[in-house]
Coordinates of all heavy atoms in Angstrom, one line a residue:
M172 N -14.7 -18.6 -5.9 CA -13.6 -18.0 -5.2 C -14.2 -17.1 -4.1 O -15.1 -16.3 -4.3 CB -12.8 -17.1 -6.1 CG -11.5 -16.6 -5.5 SD -10.6 -15.7 -6.8 CE -9.0 -16.1 -6.3
E173 N -13.7 -17.3 -2.9 CA -14.2 -16.5 -1.7 C -13.7 -15.1 -1.8 O -12.6 -14.8 -2.2 CB -13.8 -17.2 -0.4 CG -14.6 -18.5 -0.2 CD -14.2 -19.0 1.2 OE1 -14.1 -18.2 2.1 OE2 -14.1 -20.2 1.3
K174 N -14.5 -14.2 -1.3 CA -14.1 -12.8 -1.2 C -13.1 -12.7 0.0 O -13.3 -13.3 1.0 CB -15.3 -11.9 -0.9 CG -15.0 -10.5 -0.8 CD -16.2 -9.7 -0.4 CE -15.8 -8.2 -0.2 NZ -16.8 -7.4 0.4
I175 N -12.1 -11.9 -0.2 CA -11.1 -11.6 0.8 C -11.5 -10.4 1.6 O -11.7 -9.3 1.0 CB -9.7 -11.5 0.2 CG1 -9.3 -12.7 -0.6 CG2 -8.7 -11.1 1.3 CD1 -8.0 -12.6 -1.3
D176 N -11.6 -10.6 2.9 CA -11.9 -9.4 3.8 C -10.7 -8.5 3.9 O -9.6 -9.0 4.2 CB -12.4 -9.9 5.1 CG -13.8 -10.6 5.1 OD1 -14.6 -10.2 4.2 OD2 -14.0 -11.5 5.9
R177 N -10.9 -7.3 3.8 CA -9.8 -6.3 4.0 C -9.6 -6.1 5.4 O -10.5 -6.1 6.2 CB -10.1 -5.0 3.3 CG -10.3 -5.2 1.7 CD -10.6 -3.9 1.0 NE -9.4 -3.1 0.8 CZ -8.4 -3.4 0.0 NH1 -8.4 -4.6 -0.6 NH2 -7.4 -2.6 -0.2
T178 N -8.3 -5.9 5.8 CA -8.0 -5.6 7.2 C -7.6 -4.1 7.4 O -7.5 -3.4 6.4 CB -6.8 -6.5 7.6 OG1 -5.6 -6.0 6.9 CG2 -7.1 -8.0 7.4
E179 N -7.5 -3.8 8.6 CA -7.0 -2.4 8.9 C -5.6 -2.1 8.3 O -5.3 -1.1 7.8 CB -7.0 -2.2 10.4 CG -6.5 -0.8 10.9 CD -7.4 0.4 10.3 OE1 -8.6 0.2 10.1 OE2 -6.8 1.4 10.0
L180 N -4.8 -3.2 8.3 CA -3.4 -3.0 7.7 C -3.6 -2.8 6.2 O -2.8 -2.0 5.7 CB -2.6 -4.3 8.0 CG -1.2 -4.2 7.5 CD1 -0.4 -3.1 8.2 CD2 -0.5 -5.6 7.8
D181 N -4.5 -3.4 5.6 CA -4.7 -3.2 4.1 C -5.1 -1.7 3.9 O -4.6 -1.1 3.0 CB -5.8 -4.1 3.6 CG -5.5 -5.6 3.6 OD1 -4.3 -5.9 3.4 OD2 -6.4 -6.4 3.9
A182 N -6.0 -1.2 4.8 CA -6.4 0.2 4.6 C -5.2 1.2 4.9 O -5.1 2.2 4.2 CB -7.5 0.5 5.6
R183 N -4.4 0.8 5.9 CA -3.2 1.7 6.1 C -2.3 1.7 5.0 O -1.7 2.7 4.6 CB -2.5 1.3 7.4 CG -3.3 1.7 8.7 CD -2.4 1.6 9.9 NE -1.9 0.3 10.2 CZ -2.5 -0.7 10.9 NH1 -3.7 -0.4 11.4 NH2 -2.0 -1.8 11.1
F184 N -2.1 0.5 4.4 CA -1.2 0.4 3.2 C -1.8 1.3 2.0 O -1.0 2.0 1.4 CB -1.0 -1.0 2.7 CG -0.2 -1.1 1.5 CD1 1.2 -0.9 1.5 CD2 -0.8 -1.3 0.2 CE1 1.9 -0.9 0.3 CE2 -0.1 -1.3 -1.0 CZ 1.3 -1.1 -0.9
A185 N -3.0 1.2 1.8 CA -3.6 2.0 0.7 C -3.4 3.4 0.9 O -3.0 4.2 0.0 CB -5.1 1.7 0.6
A186 N -3.6 3.9 2.1 CA -3.5 5.3 2.5 C -2.0 5.7 2.4 O -1.6 6.8 1.9 CB -4.0 5.6 3.9
F187 N -1.1 4.8 2.8 CA 0.3 5.1 2.8 C 0.8 5.2 1.3 O 1.5 6.2 1.0 CB 1.1 4.0 3.5 CG 2.6 4.0 3.2 CD1 3.4 4.9 3.9 CD2 3.1 3.1 2.3 CE1 4.8 4.9 3.7 CE2 4.5 3.1 2.1 CZ 5.3 4.0 2.8
L188 N 0.4 4.2 0.5 CA 0.8 4.3 -0.9 C 0.3 5.5 -1.6 O 1.0 6.2 -2.3 CB 0.3 3.0 -1.6 CG 0.7 2.9 -3.1 CD1 2.2 2.8 -3.3 CD2 0.0 1.7 -3.7
D189 N -1.0 5.8 -1.4 CA -1.5 7.0 -2.1 C -0.8 8.3 -1.6 O -0.4 9.1 -2.5 CB -3.0 7.1 -1.8 CG -3.7 8.2 -2.5 OD1 -3.6 8.3 -3.8 OD2 -4.3 9.1 -1.9
G190 N -0.6 8.4 -0.3 CA 0.1 9.6 0.1 C 1.6 9.7 -0.4 O 2.0 10.8 -0.8
L191 N 2.3 8.5 -0.4 CA 3.6 8.5 -0.9 C 3.7 8.9 -2.4 O 4.5 9.7 -2.8 CB 4.2 7.1 -0.7 CG 5.7 6.9 -1.2 CD1 6.6 7.7 -0.3 CD2 6.0 5.5 -1.2
L192 N 2.8 8.4 -3.2 CA 2.8 8.7 -4.6 C 2.4 10.1 -4.9 O 3.0 10.8 -5.7 CB 1.9 7.7 -5.4 CG 2.3 6.2 -5.3 CD1 1.3 5.4 -6.2 CD2 3.7 6.0 -5.7
R193 N 1.5 10.6 -4.1 CA 1.1 12.0 -4.2 C 2.3 13.0 -3.8 O 2.6 13.9 -4.5 CB -0.1 12.4 -3.3 CG -1.4 11.9 -3.8 CD -2.5 12.3 -2.8 NE -3.7 11.6 -3.1 CZ -4.6 12.1 -4.0 NH1 -4.4 13.2 -4.7 NH2 -5.7 11.4 -4.3
D194 N 3.0 12.6 -2.7 CA 4.1 13.4 -2.2 C 5.2 13.4 -3.3 O 5.9 14.4 -3.4 CB 4.7 12.9 -0.9 CG 3.7 13.2 0.3 OD1 2.8 14.0 0.1 OD2 4.0 12.6 1.3
R195 N 5.4 12.3 -3.9 CA 6.5 12.2 -4.9 C 6.0 12.7 -6.3 O 6.8 12.6 -7.3 CB 7.0 10.8 -5.0 CG 7.7 10.4 -3.7 CD 8.3 9.0 -3.9 NE 9.0 8.6 -2.7 CZ 9.7 7.5 -2.6 NH1 9.8 6.7 -3.6 NH2 10.3 7.2 -1.5
G196 N 4.8 13.0 -6.4 CA 4.3 13.5 -7.8 C 4.2 12.4 -8.8 O 4.4 12.6 -10.0
L197 N 4.0 11.1 -8.3 CA 4.0 10.0 -9.2 C 2.5 9.6 -9.6 O 1.7 9.6 -8.8 CB 4.6 8.8 -8.6 CG 6.1 8.9 -8.3 CD1 6.6 7.8 -7.5 CD2 6.9 8.9 -9.7
S198 N 2.3 9.3 -10.9 CA 1.0 8.9 -11.4 C 1.0 7.4 -11.4 O 2.0 6.7 -11.2 CB 0.8 9.4 -12.8 OG 1.8 8.8 -13.7
N199 N -0.2 6.9 -11.6 CA -0.4 5.4 -11.7 C 0.4 4.9 -12.9 O 1.0 3.8 -12.8 CB -1.9 5.1 -11.9 CG -2.7 5.5 -10.7 OD1 -2.2 5.8 -9.6 ND2 -4.0 5.6 -10.8
A200 N 0.4 5.6 -14.0 CA 1.1 5.2 -15.2 C 2.6 5.3 -14.9 O 3.4 4.4 -15.4 CB 0.8 6.1 -16.4
G201 N 3.1 6.2 -14.1 CA 4.5 6.3 -13.8 C 4.9 5.1 -13.0 O 6.0 4.6 -13.2
V202 N 4.1 4.7 -12.0 CA 4.4 3.5 -11.2 C 4.4 2.3 -12.1 O 5.3 1.4 -11.9 CB 3.5 3.4 -10.0 CG1 3.7 2.1 -9.3 CG2 3.6 4.6 -9.1
E203 N 3.5 2.2 -13.0 CA 3.5 1.1 -13.9 C 4.8 1.0 -14.7 O 5.4 -0.1 -14.8 CB 2.3 1.2 -14.9 CG 2.3 0.1 -15.9 CD 1.1 0.2 -16.9 OE1 0.6 1.3 -17.1 OE2 0.8 -0.9 -17.6
R204 N 5.3 2.1 -15.2 CA 6.6 2.2 -15.9 C 7.7 1.8 -14.9 O 8.6 1.0 -15.3 CB 6.8 3.6 -16.5 CG 6.1 3.8 -17.8 CD 6.5 5.1 -18.4 NE 6.3 6.3 -17.6 CZ 5.1 7.0 -17.5 NH1 4.1 6.6 -18.2 NH2 5.1 8.0 -16.8
M205 N 7.7 2.3 -13.7 CA 8.8 2.0 -12.7 C 8.8 0.5 -12.4 O 9.9 0.0 -12.1 CB 8.5 2.8 -11.5 CG 8.7 4.3 -11.6 SD 8.2 5.2 -10.2 CE 9.6 4.8 -9.0
T206 N 7.7 -0.2 -12.5 CA 7.7 -1.6 -12.2 C 7.9 -2.4 -13.4 O 7.7 -3.7 -13.4 CB 6.4 -2.0 -11.5 OG1 5.3 -1.8 -12.4 CG2 6.2 -1.3 -10.2
G207 N 8.2 -1.8 -14.5 CA 8.4 -2.5 -15.8 C 7.1 -3.2 -16.3 O 7.2 -4.3 -16.9
G208 N 6.0 -2.7 -15.9 CA 4.7 -3.2 -16.3 C 4.2 -4.4 -15.5 O 3.2 -5.0 -15.7
R209 N 5.0 -4.8 -14.4 CA 4.6 -5.9 -13.6 C 3.3 -5.6 -12.8 O 2.6 -6.5 -12.4 CB 5.7 -6.3 -12.6 CG 6.8 -7.1 -13.4 CD 8.0 -7.3 -12.5 NE 8.6 -6.0 -12.2 CZ 9.7 -5.8 -11.7 NH1 10.5 -6.8 -11.3 NH2 10.2 -4.6 -11.5
I210 N 3.1 -4.3 -12.5 CA 1.9 -3.8 -11.8 C 1.3 -2.7 -12.7 O 1.9 -1.7 -12.9 CB 2.2 -3.3 -10.4 CG1 2.9 -4.3 -9.6 CG2 0.9 -2.8 -9.7 CD1 3.3 -3.9 -8.2
G211 N 0.2 -3.0 -13.3 CA -0.4 -2.1 -14.3 C -1.1 -0.9 -13.7 O -1.4 -0.9 -12.5
Y212 N -1.4 0.0 -14.5 CA -2.1 1.2 -14.2 C -3.3 1.0 -13.3 O -3.5 1.6 -12.2 CB -2.5 2.0 -15.4 CG -3.3 3.2 -15.2 CD1 -2.7 4.5 -15.1 CD2 -4.7 3.2 -15.0 CE1 -3.4 5.6 -14.8 CE2 -5.4 4.3 -14.7 CZ -4.8 5.5 -14.7 OH -5.6 6.6 -14.4
N213 N -4.2 0.1 -13.8 CA -5.5 -0.2 -13.1 C -5.2 -0.8 -11.7 O -5.9 -0.5 -10.7 CB -6.4 -1.1 -13.9 CG -6.9 -0.4 -15.2 OD1 -7.0 0.8 -15.2 ND2 -7.3 -1.2 -16.1
R214 N -4.3 -1.6 -11.6 CA -4.0 -2.3 -10.3 C -3.4 -1.2 -9.3 O -3.8 -1.2 -8.1 CB -3.0 -3.4 -10.5 CG -2.7 -4.2 -9.2 CD -3.9 -4.8 -8.6 NE -3.6 -5.6 -7.4 CZ -4.4 -5.8 -6.4 NH1 -5.6 -5.3 -6.3 NH2 -4.0 -6.4 -5.3
V215 N -2.5 -0.3 -9.8 CA -2.0 0.7 -9.0 C -3.1 1.6 -8.5 O -3.2 1.9 -7.3 CB -0.9 1.6 -9.7 CG1 -0.5 2.8 -8.8 CG2 0.3 0.7 -10.1
R216 N -4.0 1.9 -9.4 CA -5.2 2.7 -9.0 C -6.0 2.0 -7.9 O -6.4 2.6 -6.9 CB -6.1 3.0 -10.2 CG -7.3 3.8 -9.9 CD -8.4 3.6 -11.0 NE -8.8 2.2 -11.0 CZ -9.1 1.6 -12.1 NH1 -9.1 2.2 -13.3 NH2 -9.5 0.3 -12.1
D217 N -6.3 0.8 -8.1 CA -7.1 0.0 -7.1 C -6.3 -0.1 -5.8 O -7.0 0.0 -4.7 CB -7.3 -1.4 -7.6 CG -8.3 -1.4 -8.8 OD1 -9.0 -0.4 -9.1 OD2 -8.4 -2.5 -9.5
L218 N -5.1 -0.3 -5.8 CA -4.3 -0.4 -4.5 C -4.3 1.0 -3.8 O -4.5 1.0 -2.6 CB -2.8 -0.8 -4.8 CG -2.6 -2.2 -5.2 CD1 -1.2 -2.4 -5.7 CD2 -3.0 -3.2 -4.1
R219 N -4.2 2.1 -4.5 CA -4.3 3.4 -3.9 C -5.6 3.7 -3.3 O -5.7 4.4 -2.3 CB -4.0 4.5 -4.9 CG -2.5 4.5 -5.4 CD -2.3 5.5 -6.5 NE -2.2 6.8 -5.9 CZ -1.7 7.9 -6.5 NH1 -1.3 7.8 -7.8 NH2 -1.6 9.0 -5.9
R220 N -6.7 3.2 -4.0 CA -8.0 3.5 -3.5 C -8.5 2.4 -2.4 O -9.6 2.6 -1.8 CB -9.0 3.4 -4.7 CG -8.9 4.5 -5.7 CD -9.8 4.3 -6.8 NE -9.8 5.4 -7.7 CZ -10.5 5.4 -8.9 NH1 -11.3 4.4 -9.1 NH2 -10.4 6.4 -9.7
G221 N -7.7 1.4 -2.3 CA -8.1 0.3 -1.4 C -9.3 -0.5 -1.9 O -10.2 -1.0 -1.2
E222 N -9.3 -0.6 -3.2 CA -10.4 -1.4 -3.9 C -9.9 -2.7 -4.4 O -8.7 -2.9 -4.5 CB -10.9 -0.5 -5.1 CG -11.6 0.8 -4.7 CD -12.0 1.6 -5.9 OE1 -11.7 1.3 -7.1 OE2 -12.7 2.6 -5.7
R223 N -10.9 -3.6 -4.7 CA -10.6 -4.9 -5.2 C -9.8 -5.7 -4.1 O -9.8 -5.4 -2.9 CB -9.9 -4.9 -6.5 CG -10.7 -4.0 -7.5 CD -10.9 -4.7 -8.7 NE -11.8 -3.8 -9.6 CZ -12.2 -4.1 -10.8 NH1 -11.8 -5.3 -11.3 NH2 -12.9 -3.3 -11.4
G224 N -8.9 -6.6 -4.5 CA -8.2 -7.4 -3.6 C -7.0 -6.6 -2.9 O -6.5 -5.6 -3.5
P225 N -6.7 -6.9 -1.7 CA -5.6 -6.2 -1.0 C -4.3 -6.5 -1.8 O -4.2 -7.5 -2.6 CB -5.6 -6.8 0.4 CG -6.4 -8.0 0.3 CD -7.3 -7.9 -0.9
V226 N -3.2 -5.8 -1.4 CA -1.9 -6.0 -2.1 C -1.4 -7.4 -1.8 O -1.6 -7.9 -0.7 CB -0.9 -4.9 -1.6 CG1 -0.6 -5.1 -0.2 CG2 0.3 -4.9 -2.5
R227 N -0.9 -8.0 -2.9 CA -0.3 -9.4 -2.7 C 1.2 -9.2 -2.4 O 1.8 -8.1 -2.6 CB -0.5 -10.2 -4.0 CG -1.9 -10.5 -4.3 CD -2.1 -11.3 -5.5 NE -1.7 -10.7 -6.7 CZ -2.6 -10.0 -7.6 NH1 -3.8 -10.0 -7.3 NH2 -2.1 -9.5 -8.7
L228 N 1.8 -10.2 -1.8 CA 3.2 -10.1 -1.4 C 4.1 -9.7 -2.5 O 4.9 -8.8 -2.4 CB 3.6 -11.4 -0.7 CG 5.1 -11.5 -0.2 CD1 5.3 -10.4 0.8 CD2 5.4 -12.9 0.3
G229 N 4.0 -10.4 -3.7 CA 4.8 -10.0 -4.8 C 4.7 -8.6 -5.2 O 5.7 -7.9 -5.6
E230 N 3.4 -8.1 -5.2 CA 3.2 -6.7 -5.6 C 3.8 -5.8 -4.6 O 4.4 -4.8 -5.0 CB 1.7 -6.4 -5.6 CG 0.9 -7.1 -6.7 CD -0.6 -6.9 -6.6 OE1 -1.1 -6.9 -5.5 OE2 -1.2 -6.9 -7.7
Y231 N 3.7 -6.1 -3.3 CA 4.3 -5.3 -2.2 C 5.8 -5.2 -2.4 O 6.3 -4.1 -2.4 CB 3.9 -5.9 -0.9 CG 4.5 -5.2 0.3 CD1 4.1 -4.0 0.7 CD2 5.6 -5.8 0.9 CE1 4.7 -3.3 1.8 CE2 6.3 -5.1 2.0 CZ 5.8 -3.9 2.4 OH 6.4 -3.3 3.5
V232 N 6.4 -6.3 -2.6 CA 7.9 -6.3 -2.8 C 8.3 -5.5 -4.0 O 9.2 -4.7 -4.0 CB 8.4 -7.7 -2.8 CG1 9.9 -7.8 -3.1 CG2 8.2 -8.4 -1.4
T233 N 7.6 -5.7 -5.1 CA 7.8 -5.0 -6.4 C 7.7 -3.5 -6.2 O 8.5 -2.7 -6.6 CB 6.9 -5.5 -7.5 OG1 7.2 -6.9 -7.7 CG2 7.1 -4.7 -8.8
L234 N 6.6 -3.0 -5.5 CA 6.4 -1.6 -5.3 C 7.5 -1.0 -4.4 O 8.0 0.0 -4.7 CB 5.0 -1.4 -4.6 CG 3.8 -1.5 -5.5 CD1 2.5 -1.6 -4.7 CD2 3.8 -0.4 -6.5
C235 N 7.8 -1.8 -3.3 CA 8.9 -1.3 -2.5 C 10.2 -1.1 -3.2 O 10.9 -0.1 -3.1 CB 9.1 -2.2 -1.3 SG 7.8 -2.1 0.0
G236 N 10.5 -2.1 -4.1 CA 11.8 -2.0 -4.9 C 11.7 -0.8 -5.8 O 12.7 -0.1 -5.9
A237 N 10.6 -0.6 -6.5 CA 10.5 0.5 -7.5 C 10.5 1.9 -6.8 O 11.0 2.8 -7.4 CB 9.2 0.3 -8.2
L238 N 10.0 1.9 -5.5 CA 9.9 3.2 -4.8 C 11.1 3.4 -3.9 O 11.2 4.4 -3.2 CB 8.6 3.3 -4.1 CG 7.4 3.2 -4.9 CD1 6.1 3.0 -4.1 CD2 7.3 4.5 -5.8
G239 N 12.1 2.5 -3.9 CA 13.3 2.6 -3.0 C 13.0 2.5 -1.6 O 13.7 3.1 -0.7
L240 N 12.0 1.6 -1.2 CA 11.7 1.4 0.2 C 12.2 0.0 0.6 O 12.1 -1.0 -0.2 CB 10.2 1.4 0.3 CG 9.5 2.7 -0.1 CD1 8.0 2.5 0.0 CD2 9.9 3.9 0.8
D241 N 12.5 -0.2 1.8 CA 12.9 -1.5 2.4 C 11.5 -2.1 2.8 O 10.8 -1.6 3.6 CB 13.8 -1.3 3.6 CG 14.1 -2.6 4.2 OD1 15.1 -3.3 3.8 OD2 13.4 -3.0 5.2
P242 N 11.2 -3.3 2.2 CA 9.9 -3.9 2.5 C 9.7 -4.2 4.0 O 8.6 -4.0 4.5 CB 9.9 -5.2 1.8 CG 11.0 -5.0 0.7 CD 12.0 -4.0 1.2
E243 N 10.7 -4.7 4.7 CA 10.6 -5.0 6.1 C 10.4 -3.7 7.0 O 9.5 -3.7 7.9 CB 11.8 -5.8 6.7 CG 11.9 -7.2 6.1 CD 13.1 -7.9 6.6 OE1 13.3 -7.9 7.8 OE2 13.8 -8.5 5.8
R244 N 11.1 -2.7 6.7 CA 11.0 -1.5 7.5 C 9.7 -0.8 7.2 O 9.0 -0.3 8.1 CB 12.1 -0.5 7.2 CG 13.5 -1.0 7.7 CD 14.5 0.0 7.5 NE 14.3 1.2 8.4 CZ 14.9 2.3 8.3 NH1 15.8 2.5 7.3 NH2 14.6 3.3 9.1
T245 N 9.2 -0.9 6.0 CA 7.9 -0.2 5.6 C 6.8 -1.0 6.3 O 5.9 -0.4 6.9 CB 7.8 -0.3 4.1 OG1 8.9 0.5 3.5 CG2 6.5 0.4 3.7
L246 N 6.8 -2.3 6.3 CA 5.8 -3.1 7.0 C 5.8 -2.8 8.5 O 4.8 -2.6 9.1 CB 6.0 -4.6 6.7 CG 5.0 -5.5 7.4 CD1 3.5 -5.2 6.9 CD2 5.3 -7.0 7.1
G247 N 7.0 -2.7 9.1 CA 7.1 -2.4 10.5 C 6.5 -1.1 10.8 O 5.8 -0.9 11.8
R248 N 6.7 -0.1 9.9 CA 6.2 1.2 10.1 C 4.6 1.2 10.0 O 3.9 1.8 10.8 CB 6.7 2.2 9.1 CG 6.1 3.6 9.1 CD 6.8 4.4 8.1 NE 6.0 5.7 8.0 CZ 6.1 6.5 7.0 NH1 6.9 6.2 6.0 NH2 5.3 7.6 6.9
L249 N 4.1 0.5 9.0 CA 2.7 0.4 8.9 C 2.0 -0.3 10.1 O 1.0 0.1 10.6 CB 2.3 -0.4 7.6 CG 2.6 0.3 6.3 CD1 2.5 -0.7 5.1 CD2 1.7 1.4 6.1
R250 N 2.7 -1.3 10.6 CA 2.1 -2.0 11.8 C 2.2 -1.2 13.0 O 1.3 -1.1 13.8 CB 2.9 -3.4 12.0 CG 2.6 -4.4 10.9 CD 3.2 -5.7 11.1 NE 2.5 -6.3 12.2 CZ 3.0 -7.3 12.9 NH1 4.2 -7.8 12.6 NH2 2.3 -7.9 13.8
A251 N 3.3 -0.4 13.2 CA 3.5 0.4 14.3 C 2.5 1.6 14.3 O 2.0 1.9 15.4 CB 4.9 1.0 14.4
D252 N 2.2 2.1 13.1 CA 1.2 3.1 13.0 C -0.1 2.7 13.5 O -0.9 3.4 14.2 CB 1.1 3.7 11.6 CG 2.3 4.5 11.1 OD1 3.1 4.9 12.0 OD2 2.4 4.8 9.9
G253 N -0.4 1.4 13.2 CA -1.7 0.8 13.6 C -1.7 0.6 15.1 O -2.7 0.8 15.8
D254 N -0.6 0.1 15.6 CA -0.5 -0.2 17.1 C -0.7 1.1 17.9 O -1.4 1.1 18.9 CB 0.8 -0.8 17.4 CG 1.0 -2.2 16.9 OD1 0.0 -2.8 16.5 OD2 2.1 -2.7 16.9
A255 N -0.1 2.2 17.4 CA -0.2 3.5 18.1 C -1.7 4.0 18.0 O -2.2 4.5 19.0 CB 0.7 4.5 17.5
A256 N -2.3 3.8 16.9 CA -3.7 4.2 16.8 C -4.7 3.4 17.6 O -5.7 3.9 18.1 CB -4.2 4.1 15.3
E257 N -4.3 2.2 17.9 CA -5.2 1.3 18.7 C -5.0 1.5 20.2 O -5.8 1.0 21.0 CB -5.0 -0.1 18.3 CG -5.5 -0.4 16.9 CD -5.0 -1.8 16.4 OE1 -4.5 -2.6 17.2 OE2 -5.2 -2.0 15.2
R258 N -3.9 2.1 20.7 CA -3.7 2.3 22.1 C -4.6 3.4 22.6 O -4.8 4.4 22.0 CB -2.2 2.8 22.3 CG -1.2 1.7 22.3 CD 0.1 2.2 22.7 NE 1.1 1.5 21.8 CZ 1.9 2.1 21.0 NH1 2.0 3.4 21.0 NH2 2.7 1.4 20.3
P259 N -5.1 3.2 23.8 CA -5.9 4.2 24.4 C -5.1 5.5 24.7 O -3.9 5.4 25.1 CB -6.4 3.6 25.8 CG -5.8 2.3 25.9 CD -4.9 2.0 24.7
R260 N -5.7 6.6 24.5 CA -5.0 7.9 24.8 C -5.1 8.2 26.3 O -6.1 8.0 26.9 CB -5.7 9.0 24.0 CG -5.6 8.9 22.5 CD -6.1 10.0 21.8 NE -5.9 9.8 20.4 CZ -6.5 10.6 19.5 NH1 -7.3 11.5 19.8 NH2 -6.3 10.3 18.2
E261 N -4.0 8.7 26.8 CA -3.9 9.1 28.2 C -4.4 10.5 28.3 O -4.2 11.4 27.5 CB -2.5 9.0 28.7 CG -2.0 7.5 28.7 CD -0.6 7.4 29.3 OE1 -0.2 8.3 30.1 OE2 0.1 6.5 29.0
T262 N -5.1 10.8 29.4 CA -5.7 12.1 29.6 C -5.0 12.8 30.8 O -4.3 12.2 31.5 CB -7.2 12.1 29.9 OG1 -7.4 11.2 31.0 CG2 -7.9 11.6 28.7

């Protein structure tokens, strides 16, 4: 099996997820419970740290549902954040 290269969007998602869970005071075990065990403690930890494989589509949709987020709007926000970061700054 080939290694999957992580993208900047993957890194933004990891930072977003970690920040959101910290802001809400949610633990990895708490997210596991919220997803009905579909995403386990270790996988939540890896996603927050940006380790192992990037988030899969099913995981993303499950997390958004458990956290009360709209998947399309959240993805748009993550992409827009990256677009803004890549634009040259005006002086």
